[in-house]
Amino acid sequence: MLEKLETELKIRGLSKNTMSTYMLYNRKFLEFICKKEDEINEDDIKKYLGHLISDKERSNKTLALVIAALEFNYKEILGKNINIKRPKIHKKVPVVLSKEEVKKLISETKNFRHRLIIELLYSSGLRLSECIQLKFEDLELNEKIGWVRKGKGSKDRLFILSDKLIKNIEKL
């Protein structure tokens, strides 16, 4: 039943994580509702969402993801008229280290390479996954820039390198 969905997800070039999440929530929905896809309507989806809310304490973010997965399949793929309001997602201010805490973290890191990674993450704003994928060829030390290749959303983006970081990289 879900082959059509899986094919469309692949064609659209969605990430593996998005594909597996959409497939998982659609599979669980079908197991819960026990109906054929052509018999499913908006009320069935609402019944499932109600079940998810009462079954476990689910975050609004998770519920919004479930709705997105189900709407993609039933609206985009099967052409059904499904419109479900998403719960409000409260945005939290991230907890960040103070300047002094970052300086202390860097100064107390004894391994030079580890210290360099921390400096790079702090000064460039890279995501950890982007830092892990970074290659030396992606850095243009003379230009004081670096490139994230196929970052979030499969997009390339530029980041700036600090003078101090460049000096430490050149010590390698």
Side-chain angles (χ1 to χ4, degrees), residues 17 121 125-135 148-152 157:
N17 286 340
L121 287 167
L126 289 174
R127 294 176 178 90
L128 182 58
S129 60
E130 294 170 341
C131 186
I132 291 168
Q133 297 298 319
L134 194 64
K135 295 178 178 55
V148 172
R149 306 290 181 192
K150 292 196 174 187
K152 190 172 181 179
R157 70 181 175 91

Side-chain angles (χ1 to χ4, degrees), residues 34-49:
C34 298
K35 285 185 173 181
K36 294 180 181 177
E37 280 185 316
D38 59 338
E39 298 172 354
I40 291 171
N41 59 39
E42 192 172 306
D43 289 336
D44 295 324
I45 294 175
K46 287 181 179 178
K47 183 178 177 184
Y48 178 62
L49 293 171

Side-chain angles (χ1 to χ4, degrees), residues 139-150:
L139 303 176
E140 297 178 24
L141 300 180
N142 293 337
E143 301 295 323
K144 298 181 183 180
I145 60 170
W147 289 94
V148 172
R149 306 290 181 192
K150 292 196 174 187

Side-chain angles (χ1 to χ4, degrees), residues 2 5-6 9 18-27:
L2 297 173
L5 172 63
E6 186 173 21
L9 291 169
T18 301
M19 287 177 56
S20 66
T21 302
Y22 277 30
M23 293 298 293
L24 171 76
Y25 286 129
N26 275 281
R27 190 175 306 112

Side-chain angles (χ1 to χ4, degrees), residues 116-128:
L116 195 61
I117 290 169
I118 294 168
E119 287 177 10
L120 175 63
L121 287 167
Y122 177 69
S123 67
S124 66
L126 289 174
R127 294 176 178 90
L128 182 58

